[in-house]
Amino acid sequence: MIFEYPEPRAVRTHGPAQYASYESFRPWLRDEFTFRCVYCLKRETWGQVTSEFELDHFHPQVLSPDRKLDYFNLVYSCRRCNAVKLDQVIDDPLTLLSSTVVTALPDGHLISRVPEVKRIIQQIDLNSPKLLRWRVMWMRIVELASEHEPSLARQLMGFPDDLPDLAKLRPPSNSRPEGVGISWHAKREKGQLPASY
Ligand SMILES: [Zn+2]
């Protein structure tokens, strides 16, 4: 389903470290967050350039300047959600926003019974009237494409072409090197990339 959040997970796949600039983490974060905004699930393939996506410190830089270059404090976010978040203190959205605790209704609303999830929905204003209209619009677009033009549906729900080849990157250190072998690029090399996600 188009607005289904990822399976719950406790740990990250990658662990690059000691880069001099946080922008260097971008390919790792694109792969880790499957090319979509961790908060609203907007996909790279729905826009034109990946720079529309930002690398967000979920512990705000002003409060945790020592975590500026900490991969485990970075998430992949669309510009809209990063702008709404600003310097709010929030829980880690990667572990919090999962398919078991948050559901998108056909009218576009996100619902959850978990207080921490409700709080993050409120903090990022994920049920704003504009986002509800946006979700319903995309549900309808993908539904129509699935019925009438399956190749377009695959394009809208599939992976971008420029999957980052993490094996070619040489981070100063990486606490989880085994993650490279299960990156989306590595899966494509093995012919294991799903048609959609
Ligand atoms: Zn977003």
Side-chain angles (χ1 to χ4, degrees):
M1 218 285 283
I2 171 170
F3 289 112
E4 187 171 319
Y5 281 80
E7 297 284 302
R9 50 192 239 190
V11 294
R12 293 193 177 208
T13 305
H14 307 300
Q18 295 173 2
Y19 276 126
S21 86
Y22 75 86
E23 191 58 35
S24 303
F25 292 102
R26 179 177 292 273
W28 301 93
L29 291 161
R30 289 182 68 217
D31 189 84
E32 187 90 64
F33 290 89
T34 325
F35 316 101
R36 57 186 175 178
C37 171
V38 67
Y39 300 110
C40 73
L41 299 184
K42 178 182 175 180
R43 292 167 182 239
E44 285 184 6
T45 51
W46 298 351
Q48 293 176 329
V49 287
T50 57
S51 60
E52 288 170 4
F53 284 77
E54 300 182 346
L55 314 180
D56 167 35
H57 297 84
F58 75 86
H59 266 286
Q61 289 190 70
V62 286
L63 298 179
S64 308
D66 54 316
R67 297 195 67 190
K68 184 170 188 273
L69 296 173
D70 179 358
Y71 179 72
F72 296 93
N73 186 37
L74 287 167
V75 297
Y76 201 52
S77 165
C78 75
R79 191 168 286 172
R80 178 260 169 214
C81 291
N82 200 13
V84 173
K85 181 183 161 283
L86 281 176
D87 289 337
Q88 296 184 81
V89 175
I90 61 164
D91 295 311
D92 182 354
L94 180 75
T95 51
L96 207 51
L97 296 175
S98 74
S99 57
T100 51
V101 293
V102 55
T103 307
L105 299 178
D107 70 359
H109 273 94
L110 294 185
I111 54 160
S112 178
R113 289 188 182 150
V114 179
E116 291 81 9
V117 177
K118 286 183 179 176
R119 190 168 62 224
I120 202 168
I121 288 172
Q122 198 172 25
Q123 286 178 304
I124 310 296
D125 202 12
L126 292 173
N127 278 333
S128 72
K130 210 170 172 179
L131 266 190
L132 299 186
R133 282 198 300 277
W134 174 79
R135 273 190 208 103
V136 170
M137 178 187 80
W138 273 107
M139 288 179 195
R140 189 75 185 124
I141 288 171
V142 171
E143 187 183 321
L144 285 170
S146 304
E147 285 168 19
H148 301 288
E149 203 175 327
S151 65
L152 175 61
R154 280 196 296 277
Q155 195 182 328
L156 294 171
M157 297 296 287
F159 287 81
D161 293 331
D162 62 334
L163 303 178
D165 184 356
L166 302 179
K168 283 202 177 135
L169 303 178
R170 294 278 180 267
S173 76
N174 186 357
S175 59
R176 298 182 182 168
E178 68 280 4
V180 172
I182 52 168
S183 65
W184 296 111
H185 184 277
K187 287 190 175 126
R188 187 171 64 188
E189 296 286 290
K190 293 175 202 155
Q192 295 169 350
L193 193 70
S196 62
Y197 69 96

